[in-house]
Amino acid sequence: MYRWFIRNFPDGGKYADVHSALIQYGYVDWATSLVEYAYSLWLEKENFAYQETNATDLLAEVLSDITPQVKADRQALGIQTLPLTGFIPSDNSPYTRKLAADIDNFKLMDIYNSSQIGCAGDSARIGSTGHSARISGSGVNVQIGSSGEYAWLSSSGYSTQIASSGYGVRAGCVGHDVRVGSSGDRARIATAGNSSKVSSSGRGVRIASAGMRARIGSVGDSLKVASSGDLSHISSFGEAARVVSAGDNSRIVAMGEHSLVASAGSIDYVVLGKGGCASVAYFDGKRMRFAVAYEGEGNIRAGVKYRLNDNHQFVEYSA
């Protein structure tokens, strides 16, 4: 990978551009390693969520075949759809297409509104540019990209990737090691497997995670996150975020103004922004209580990591 990177990016490159190039060259495993490395290194950096959603937007474009050059070529040739492989049409309507497949390596680019697409094979690649699409996959290593509004995207396989840039998208994943990226406002995202990776840059996004080791990053305002797994790592940089965690050993960063953090489990550390507050549950030997921190009070400063000491007081965290 190093020699490939030097050849293609001799002056260095942005994360999103490198990721997109790896996908286009067919180096999917290298792209996956890059994503894993990036989440482990930069999740607490505000710019990373933008970079990651830019990368998933580019992935959606590749899957939907709507890069500028492709769009120009298709318009010049009068091409409306690309050839489909392995699909079974059940409706000839130009407005609501219903397609199903049970083969591996299924590939489809769809431009119609309200399409319903399902695939049960592994390594499927499905792209959609229409609004109100319904797309589901149940195989492993499935990639789903959508640029339309109000899409419903779901998967139940291991190592799924869902990329969305539309408004009001619903994305749900049941499987380990999934990756979801959304740049549209008011997205609703839910994951139920371990080691999920979720990023968003839209306003009013809702994210729910039920697996261990979830990594969630967001830069949109009015974010709401709920996580029930242990070892979760959550970073939010938008204003008025609400972050709730029920797992133990969580790491929570809520740097947006007036953000709120509530944890029913133990924390490794918490970081607040201006006007933020946090409550963390603990057992005092007789009953459960909450330790509460308010930015600007009791020596709690914005941008500083805090943990609970043995006396259940917030103190600065040191690795």
Side-chain angles (χ1 to χ4, degrees), residues 11 15 19 50 54 66 85 92 119 128-129 153 177 191-192 205 211 213 275 280:
D11 299 321
Y15 165 76
H19 178 272
Y50 286 114
N54 285 341
I66 57 170
T85 61
N92 293 322
C119 179
S128 171
T129 60
L153 315 172
D177 200 29
T191 65
V205 174
R213 294 182 299 277
V280 179

Side-chain angles (χ1 to χ4, degrees), residues 48-189:
F48 172 69
Y50 286 114
Q51 289 284 323
E52 171 65 349
T53 52
N54 285 341
T56 55
D57 282 353
L58 289 172
L59 176 60
E61 288 186 359
V62 170
L63 293 172
S64 301
D65 207 11
I66 57 170
T67 57
Q69 185 60 50
V70 170
K71 285 193 290 187
D73 292 344
R74 288 173 60 204
Q75 290 173 354
L77 297 173
I79 298 174
Q80 295 302 312
T81 59
L82 296 181
L84 311 179
T85 61
F87 76 92
I88 305 171
S90 59
D91 191 336
N92 293 322
S93 167
Y95 301 103
T96 304
R97 297 208 304 172
K98 298 179 180 179
L99 311 175
D102 60 358
I103 61 172
D104 295 339
N105 300 305
F106 172 74
K107 296 181 181 180
L108 168 67
M109 194 289 290
D110 185 78
I111 64 171
Y112 293 98
N113 295 332
S114 303
S115 292
Q116 299 178 28
I117 302 167
C119 179
D122 297 337
S123 302
R125 293 168 60 89
I126 301 172
S128 171
T129 60
H131 301 316
S132 301
R134 303 292 186 264
I135 304 173
S136 66
S138 60
V140 301
N141 295 315
V142 171
Q143 296 181 7
I144 300 173
S146 171
S147 58
E149 298 179 353
Y150 301 109
W152 288 18
L153 315 172
S154 63
S155 74
S156 59
Y158 174 87
S159 195
T160 294
Q161 297 187 64
I162 292 181
S164 168
S165 59
Y167 177 92
V169 169
R170 281 19 176 195
C173 298
V174 179
H176 300 319
D177 200 29
V178 301
R179 176 192 182 204
V180 181
S182 172
S183 61
D185 294 342
R186 300 191 65 79
R188 302 293 185 265
I189 301 169

